[in-house]
Amino acid sequence: MDFNLDETQQELRGLAADVLGREASRERLEAYEKTGAPYDAATWKALAQAGLLGAVLPEEAGGAGLGAVELTVVLREIGAHVAPVPAYASLALAAVPIAAHGTKEQRALLAPLNEGEAVLTGAYREAGPKATTARRDGDGFLLDGVKAFVPYAAEASWILVPARVEGADIGIFLVEPSQAILAPQPSSTTEPLSRIELSGVRAGPDALLGGAADGAAWRTFRRSAVAGAVALASGVIEGALNLTTEHVKAREQFGRALAQFQAVTMQVGDVYIAKRALDVAVWAGAWRLATQAPDTDEVLAVAAYNACEPVVEALYTCQHLHGGIGLDVTYPLHRYFAWGKQVGYLLGGAEEQLDTLGTLIAQEA
């Protein structure tokens, strides 16, 4: 496997880094956080104008029609700059499954997203052990269930809701936020999260993604949700490591730079190892997702485990190496720590990923 990006992917990464370097600078982030806005609309618009939102959207929606590796490139840069925009929600949780499985009318919903004029999201996590269901009702369905930690639910035009369809497999339904009961949930970052309750919500036949509940759209949705989240985590730990290495090179103690102390260099090395382990799994998972390789789910589960535990532990180390300033909200490291923790929550934690990996391996035995 070649982990080097091709020319198009390198240009995409460079463009994303350039745009976000301007739009998500430390000063701009500090100014945004004082506004109380759910996301930085100016940065969101800048990403759209640069064609970064449209990179993975279909050509009929004005996009470039690129795939999973390119989505990883974009989301990884957003994580590295901790840019407060609904890119993960709109692209990984919504645009990818709509583009892959949606009808012509459903894919038309992506055009406003390409222009930065809309936000989309998806309800990846169940609120409890009981799965959301869809009962047949005439030519439509009635949805019942509760979803948790849905990003930008109140701001979205549509929410993609997975539900087990009566007499069929899991289908994905397009639900307007006004149809559900939304309640805000705690967030590690400034990103708004919601609990959404569906109690007999009516969904017409045109609300079912692709018009089929055969599990295919759910598989794409689930894989994209995980791949997007670990891409964010990969960028987050890279940004945190860069900040930490610059700090230990500049900060002096007992007349010497912290980087000259062996204990410090060993801890920085531990962070680097955690980062590289996640990077390998992230790019391997993205490539497998792009090629629909049979072991896609296993590799994504490995990446998710690394994002939930080793990388979160590495972020603690970054804070420790900064001393007291690492906990100061006027210093940028706290954003990386908060983002890393939130990705772990959205993925369900390390134990869930190990359970998933064990189940997948057992199925192949």
Side-chain angles (χ1 to χ4, degrees), residues 3 230 276-286 299-300 302-304 306:
F3 283 94
V230 297
R276 288 295 295 142
L278 176 60
D279 285 346
V280 169
V282 164
W283 292 117
V299 177
L300 287 176
V302 171
N306 278 276

Side-chain angles (χ1 to χ4, degrees), residues 146-199:
V146 179
K147 301 287 188 177
F149 305 118
V150 182
Y152 300 98
E155 292 73 27
S157 301
W158 296 92
I159 304 172
L160 270 65
V161 177
R164 182 165 293 280
V165 177
E166 182 181 24
D169 207 322
I170 296 176
I172 307 291
F173 292 86
L174 290 157
V175 175
E176 293 183 273
S178 60
Q179 294 178 273
I181 300 173
L182 306 183
Q185 289 189 291
S187 169
S188 298
T189 69
T190 58
E191 179 180 68
L193 298 176
S194 295
R195 174 186 186 273
I196 68 170
E197 182 178 345
L198 305 157
S199 182

Side-chain angles (χ1 to χ4, degrees), residues 86-165:
Y88 170 69
S90 295
L91 299 178
L93 295 181
V96 169
I98 290 174
H101 302 280
T103 62
K104 181 179 179 180
E105 293 75 18
Q106 290 166 344
R107 292 197 301 273
L109 300 174
L110 299 176
L113 173 59
N114 183 52
E115 300 297 326
E117 300 293 340
V119 172
L120 302 172
T121 191
Y124 176 55
R125 300 210 62 82
E126 299 284 356
K130 187 176 180 181
T132 301
T133 60
R135 296 175 284 125
R136 297 189 183 276
D137 180 57
D139 62 348
F141 303 86
L142 295 176
L143 305 181
D144 293 282
V146 179
K147 301 287 188 177
F149 305 118
V150 182
Y152 300 98
E155 292 73 27
S157 301
W158 296 92
I159 304 172
L160 270 65
V161 177
R164 182 165 293 280
V165 177

Side-chain angles (χ1 to χ4, degrees), residues 190-230:
T190 58
E191 179 180 68
L193 298 176
S194 295
R195 174 186 186 273
I196 68 170
E197 182 178 345
L198 305 157
S199 182
V201 169
R202 169 76 182 178
D206 57 343
L208 179 59
L209 191 61
D214 56 6
W218 162 242
R219 181 169 57 251
T220 298
F221 177 91
R222 174 173 48 78
R223 288 176 170 178
S224 182
V226 175
V230 297

